[in-house]
Amino acid sequence: MGSGDSKLHFRKAVIQLTTKTQPVEASDDAFWDQFWSDASTTVQDIFALVPAAEIRAVREESPSNLATLCYKAVEKLVQGADSGCSSEKQRQTVLNCTRLLTRILPYIFEDADWRGFFWSTVPGAGRAGNLEEDDGEDEARPLAELLLLAIADLLFCPDFTVQSCKRKSPDTVLDTQAIDSCEYIWEAGVGFAHSPPYNHVHDMNRTELLKLLLTCFSEAMYLPPSADRKSVNPWVSFFCSSENRHALPLFTSLLNVVCAYDPVGYGIPYNYLLSSDQREQLVVHVIQVLIIALEHEGVARASLQVLGGISPSAAVGQQEPAEAENLFVNYLSRIHRDEDLSFMLKGLTQLLNNPLVQTYLPHSAKKIQFHQELLLLFWKLCDINKKFLFFVLKSSDVLDVLVPILFYLNDARADQSRVGLVHIGVFILLLLSGERNFGVRLNKPYVLRVPMDIPVFTGTHADLLIVIFHKIISSGHHRLQPLFDCLLTVIVNISPYLKSLSMVAANKLLHLLEAFSTPWFLFSSPQNHYLVFFLLEVFNNVIQYQFDGNSNLVYAIIRKRSIFHQLANLPSDMASIQKALQQKKRKSGLSRSGSVTSEAADNSRVPVAAEPRMFNASLEATPGIDKITEKAQVSEEGTMVSVSDVPPSVGTSDTESNSDRDHEISHARSETTSGQPSAISASAPWSANPDWVTSWKVKLPLQTIMRLLQVLVPQVEKICIDKGLTDESEILNFLQHGTLVGLLPVPHPILIRKYQANAGTAAWFRTYMWGVIYLRNVDPPVWYDTDIRLFEIQRI
């Protein structure tokens, strides 16, 4: 039978499903086999021959036929898993059933009445579909569990998805239940030293099965967004539970495949153009399955709590009950050997840096496209396994993570379709900045020249971070404005450790303060003044803890001293407030509803948006900085103490105002729409008044800076007059050798805002993850044109 004839029979069978007046009996194997017997059907054929309209028609008009089709397809997968796919015909049947279920499942999920179908038991749906041979346990299993267990078995099926360890004769029947899948881990790495020979057919088969597994997990896309932690994905929960006997080898296989992947290969120029890389297709689906499987908030939070300062093995007994335990999260939290952590970090940093690699021949090296998934995986590794986080921060390797993240942030800042990428990058930097080692590592000189449209400077990685953050704020897309607090919080966290800021970075910080402290900006939103508080805290930290070596910043403060005097003398009467707001339209500068003009920023052009995409997935509102951080005070010994444990008498007025301000942020955010970039909440009209301005103006932490200006400005002016100095290098030399010991207020305690897990960010990550997966799976378009409810698909 020719390929065309078999596809014609397949198409006729699809039509018959909707046109038959009587339900087709499950025992009519001749009819059902038409859907999976063709040896030449590809996944693209399945999507073309089974149109969306007809799936919905079967669902509405012949529901029993759709139910039987799903049941029979699952039955074939179960049979294939039990027999070990010993024949080529059986392997083809398994692949066809896999593709068919991948096509149908989204239309099951989009209908609320059908969503429970796979979690019901079907008469006769045992391990091999033979009612009389089934035992009671398998007979009672829901269809979803049978499907997930079959997929897990098939992912470790010798000569189908893994290399057979033993020779077997054609007549030998493989006992799949006796297989120890730990012997068949896909790649060397964590917990496994043997690297199996590469087999592109096995990679293709794994990819097909993982695509189906991802489709099973995607029920989450058809439920409205919810911050409720109890809304556990039942597919993920079961697959990652102890019911899946392959959980450990599968988790290890997925993690190792990602971390061991080398897209450059042998380094032969343009080699990726000569042959398709099946491994990259596998890696993309592997990393997507992995980040979704690790999305189990209840257990993740428990892991975070118990892993603080004790060994993973000791933590196991304190986790949630076994029935709620996600083994993928548990296994990840247990990784502790330095060689394993090094393997993970080296693999991820190599992939993150791949788009930055420069070659003499343009486009000669392959560039990967799944950096969003990589950032999500890196986030989960740090969030779930604190040993990995501390390992990352222990050495300068953290800079190999920082530079690509800053590259992505700069590259995506003006592209509306990549707003989510900027968010995840900033969230990662917020997490890292909560640890002292991160700030210390940033003092390493930045010598690597990554191609970015930023001012040329000689300085450190901290300078690079500040310059990129300034560009995001001054010339980024307006949808990034809810991130301003987050960006400045990162700078506040690292500021006590910055030994020597460059003149470029110092000027960028002063430019931000100048833009944020204009009266019309301060009076146009109930939250805008918090940005000024953050920047003043940065200057206070540098002056009090790193004065020596930061002559560039001190000089910039002296040059721009009028900004601080204007802040101290900010008018608060009603007439002045009205006048400032009237000037708003005539001023250029920063606002929560508009950004700095390119001339005001740094004379660099605003980047043209990256190549246009047809679709974009909406995101949840960004939680306020007060919701995603908790304050910790750094003691003299360098340890962190929760601010709630610190006596209220500790610290100076500057510190107290910082703490008070954080309480005010929380209060103000509760009065306005969370995550709204607009200057005034539409639901609750607000306008500045003298009492409001006075309430925060008196708390501005200006004492340290004013004292610095009081001491140094006369000295600088005198030396300039006496020596006739006009060259700033000599003034800088004078400032470098100056001291303010005993002249400044008592140093305030270092206050760090550490990221804390919360329901808001959990909901944001869930929406972002599925949005990325939806947009990346376009060949075939698994979820295209289905009724997604977790996010909105927008044309751009």
Side-chain angles (χ1 to χ4, degrees):
M1 184 187 294
S3 173
D5 289 340
S6 59
K7 287 181 177 58
L8 183 60
H9 282 287
F10 183 95
R11 182 74 190 114
K12 284 181 177 177
V14 173
I15 294 171
Q16 282 180 297
L17 278 181
T18 54
T19 56
K20 278 185 178 288
T21 54
Q22 295 295 322
V24 183
E25 292 295 330
S27 57
D28 188 355
D29 288 338
F31 174 79
W32 297 111
D33 284 350
Q34 295 175 92
F35 289 99
W36 37 74
S37 59
D38 181 15
S40 61
T41 308
T42 64
V43 66
Q44 285 76 17
D45 291 334
I46 296 286
F47 274 70
L49 296 171
V50 188
E54 293 185 19
I55 300 175
R56 290 191 176 106
V58 176
R59 188 184 69 197
E60 303 303 326
E61 298 164 20
S62 307
S64 62
N65 283 346
L66 180 59
T68 306
L69 177 64
C70 292
Y71 155 58
K72 295 291 287 186
V74 173
E75 181 185 66
K76 289 293 180 184
L77 291 182
V78 171
Q79 290 173 351
D82 282 351
S83 67
C85 292
S86 53
S87 68
E88 186 58 40
K89 180 181 178 182
Q90 199 164 32
R91 291 171 193 164
Q92 193 61 51
T93 297
V94 165
L95 289 174
N96 285 340
C97 290
T98 298
R99 296 160 183 164
L100 189 62
L101 286 169
T102 302
R103 177 59 169 153
I104 292 172
L105 273 170
Y107 299 90
I108 298 284
F109 294 150
E110 73 173 6
D111 188 320
D113 293 335
W114 273 87
R115 217 166 282 144
F117 166 71
F118 271 83
W119 293 99
S120 61
T121 53
V122 179
R127 290 292 303 175
N130 298 320
L131 182 57
E132 62 276 6
E133 295 179 9
D134 293 329
D135 58 35
E137 181 185 351
D138 280 332
E139 177 63 21
R141 279 203 185 279
L143 207 55
E145 294 186 4
L146 292 173
L147 173 57
L148 291 171
L149 292 175
I151 293 172
D153 284 341
L154 289 165
L155 286 169
F156 291 97
C157 190
D159 297 322
F160 180 57
T161 49
V162 292
Q163 196 77 22
S164 178
C165 296
K166 303 168 185 175
R167 293 185 175 275
K168 65 177 189 296
S169 64
D171 300 328
T172 306
V173 177
L174 182 66
D175 182 4
T176 56
Q177 296 303 304
I179 286 179
D180 179 6
S181 46
C182 286
E183 297 178 6
Y184 293 92
I185 290 173
W186 299 354
E187 189 61 68
V190 176
F192 194 68
H194 173 62
S195 188
Y198 174 71
N199 187 316
H200 77 280
V201 174
H202 292 171
D203 273 7
M204 290 170 63
N205 295 341
R206 293 167 180 170
T207 302
E208 299 262 21
L209 288 164
L210 290 175
K211 195 189 297 285
L212 173 56
L213 184 60
L214 202 57
T215 309
C216 291
F217 291 168
S218 72
E219 182 182 272
M221 281 202 277
Y222 298 90
L223 303 172
S226 169
D228 182 9
R229 294 189 187 183
K230 296 177 182 176
S231 57
V232 176
N233 187 326
W235 296 84
V236 175
S237 185
F238 178 81
F239 190 78
C240 298
S241 73
S242 56
E243 294 277 355
N244 180 2
R245 69 187 185 92
H246 302 290
L248 176 58
L250 185 56
F251 165 77
T252 309
S253 296
L254 298 179
L255 184 63
N256 290 353
V257 162
V258 174
C259 296
Y261 177 54
D262 178 12
V264 178
Y266 295 106
I268 303 170
Y270 303 105
N271 68 332
Y272 69 97
L273 298 176
L274 305 177
S275 61
S276 62
D277 182 3
Q278 298 296 340
R279 180 50 59 108
E280 182 182 16
Q281 295 179 37
L282 174 65
V283 170
V284 169
H285 285 85
V286 159
I287 196 169
Q288 290 175 358
V289 167
L290 198 51
I291 59 178
I292 294 301
L294 291 170
E295 198 246 339
H296 193 70
E297 292 304 316
V299 178
R301 298 286 71 78
S303 299
L304 290 182
Q305 292 166 9
V306 299
L307 284 176
I310 56 177
S311 67
S313 57
V316 176
Q318 303 176 43
Q319 298 217 3
E320 291 190 0
E323 62 268 22
E325 186 175 53
N326 181 316
L327 291 180
F328 278 46
V329 171
N330 181 280
Y331 295 143
L332 176 56
S333 72
R334 285 170 170 265
I335 298 173
H336 62 280
R337 296 192 309 167
D338 278 1
E339 53 265 44
D340 290 337
L341 299 173
S342 176
F343 166 75
M344 291 157 58
L345 179 59
K346 182 181 177 183
L348 289 175
T349 53
Q350 179 178 322
L351 291 173
L352 285 170
N353 282 278
N354 168 267
L356 284 63
V357 174
Q358 298 299 299
T359 55
Y360 291 108
L361 298 172
H363 309 296
S364 62
K366 183 174 185 175
K367 306 292 186 187
I368 60 169
Q369 301 298 321
F370 53 93
H371 43 272
Q372 294 189 85
E373 291 97 323
L374 281 168
L375 291 175
L376 280 164
L377 179 60
F378 181 81
W379 168 269
K380 288 184 176 294
L381 296 182
C382 292
D383 196 27
I384 294 171
N385 189 323
K386 290 306 178 190
K387 287 184 178 293
F388 178 76
L389 173 61
F390 296 139
F391 183 84
V392 171
L393 293 164
K394 190 168 63 175
S395 70
S396 294
D397 289 342
V398 68
L399 302 178
D400 293 332
V401 176
L402 171 73
V403 172
I405 289 177
L406 292 176
F407 172 84
Y408 297 138
L409 295 184
N410 183 62
D411 189 51
R413 72 182 190 276
D415 185 352
Q416 178 181 347
S417 68
R418 294 193 287 170
V419 166
L421 170 61
V422 179
H423 276 72
I424 178 65
V426 173
F427 284 149
I428 289 173
L429 296 182
L430 178 64
L431 179 70
L432 296 176
S433 73
E435 305 299 334
R436 176 183 178 276
N437 271 7
F438 181 67
V440 173
R441 298 297 171 202
L442 291 179
N443 289 304
K444 185 175 181 180
Y446 173 66
V447 292
L448 176 71
R449 292 301 168 195
V450 173
M452 289 189 272
D453 57 332
I454 58 173
V456 176
F457 69 90
T458 300
T460 65
H461 284 76
D463 296 314
L464 177 67
L465 181 144
I466 290 169
V467 168
I468 297 293
F469 279 18
H470 175 269
K471 287 192 78 70
I472 294 171
I473 293 172
S474 64
S475 61
H477 194 274
H478 71 86
R479 287 180 61 196
L480 297 178
Q481 286 149 14
L483 280 179
F484 286 2
D485 292 345
C486 218
L487 291 163
L488 294 185
T489 298
V490 173
I491 300 177
V492 171
N493 283 347
I494 64 174
S495 59
Y497 313 110
L498 304 185
K499 295 184 179 298
S500 178
L501 285 174
S502 70
M503 187 62 79
V504 171
N507 285 334
K508 297 301 182 192
L509 289 174
L510 266 298
H511 172 257
L512 288 179
L513 181 66
E514 185 175 22
F516 286 144
S517 61
T518 54
W520 70 261
F521 178 74
L522 288 171
F523 299 155
S524 64
S525 164
Q527 300 171 36
N528 284 352
H529 62 284
Y530 302 134
L531 303 175
V532 171
F533 276 83
F534 280 128
L535 286 165
L536 292 177
E537 192 173 346
V538 170
F539 298 139
N540 287 335
N541 282 340
V542 174
I543 292 168
Q544 293 195 323
Y545 287 96
Q546 300 293 345
F547 180 83
D548 297 337
N550 269 300
S551 56
N552 287 326
L553 182 63
V554 173
Y555 178 60
I557 290 173
I558 291 172
R559 283 186 59 214
K560 293 285 189 178
R561 58 189 179 274
S562 60
I563 302 173
F564 302 98
H565 291 300
Q566 287 168 8
L567 268 175
N569 300 306
L570 185 73
S572 58
D573 60 284
M574 202 65 209
S576 299
I577 293 172
Q578 299 268 353
K579 183 179 177 181
L581 291 173
Q582 287 169 3
Q583 294 175 342
K584 179 175 181 178
K585 292 181 181 178
R586 302 194 298 272
K587 289 277 187 181
S588 67
L590 286 162
S591 78
R592 296 268 168 152
S593 54
S595 58
V596 173
T597 59
S598 57
E599 293 79 18
D602 55 14
N603 298 316
S604 65
R605 66 179 179 84
V606 176
V608 178
E611 57 185 75
R613 296 161 174 79
M614 280 184 65
F615 301 104
N616 185 35
S618 66
L619 292 167
E620 284 288 277
T622 310
I625 194 67
D626 56 299
K627 298 290 193 301
I628 63 176
T629 57
E630 57 184 356
K631 296 183 291 296
Q633 196 169 286
V634 181
S635 67
E636 293 181 5
E637 297 82 25
T639 57
M640 298 259 185
V641 183
S642 173
V643 168
S644 59
D645 299 332
V646 178
S649 58
V650 173
T652 65
S653 60
D654 279 2
T655 308
E656 289 163 10
S657 64
N658 293 339
S659 184
D660 292 344
R661 179 246 315 201
D662 286 341
H663 290 302
E664 290 177 21
I665 290 178
S666 179
H667 178 67
R669 284 198 183 276
S670 67
E671 295 179 349
T672 58
T673 306
S674 176
Q676 275 288 340
S678 58
I680 299 174
S681 170
S683 59
W686 174 92
S687 61
N689 60 71
D691 290 342
W692 171 78
V693 175
T694 304
S695 69
W696 56 260
K697 178 186 168 184
V698 297
K699 297 175 184 175
L700 284 169
L702 288 166
Q703 183 183 0
T704 299
I705 297 170
M706 288 306 194
R707 182 64 179 150
L708 176 145
L709 292 174
Q710 184 184 2
V711 172
L712 291 182
V713 169
Q715 293 182 15
V716 170
E717 289 177 341
K718 184 175 187 301
I719 197 170
C720 287
I721 294 171
D722 291 350
K723 297 186 177 182
L725 294 183
T726 55
D727 185 2
E728 68 178 27
S729 63
E730 294 193 40
I731 299 172
L732 286 169
N733 186 54
F734 165 73
L735 292 173
Q736 279 175 354
H737 295 89
T739 179
L740 292 178
V741 174
L743 298 175
L744 293 179
V746 177
H748 60 271
I750 297 174
L751 196 66
I752 301 295
R753 292 167 186 82
K754 295 170 68 74
Y755 170 82
Q756 63 172 353
N758 62 93
T761 49
W764 187 93
F765 276 105
R766 188 179 305 117
T767 305
Y768 175 57
M769 279 191 299
W770 280 114
V772 169
I773 291 169
Y774 177 99
L775 296 170
R776 297 268 290 133
N777 284 272
V778 294
D779 185 26
V782 180
W783 299 282
Y784 175 73
D785 206 24
T786 58
D787 186 20
I788 302 293
R789 299 188 65 195
L790 182 62
F791 47 82
E792 293 178 7
I793 299 300
Q794 307 153 338
R795 288 186 178 273
I796 56 173

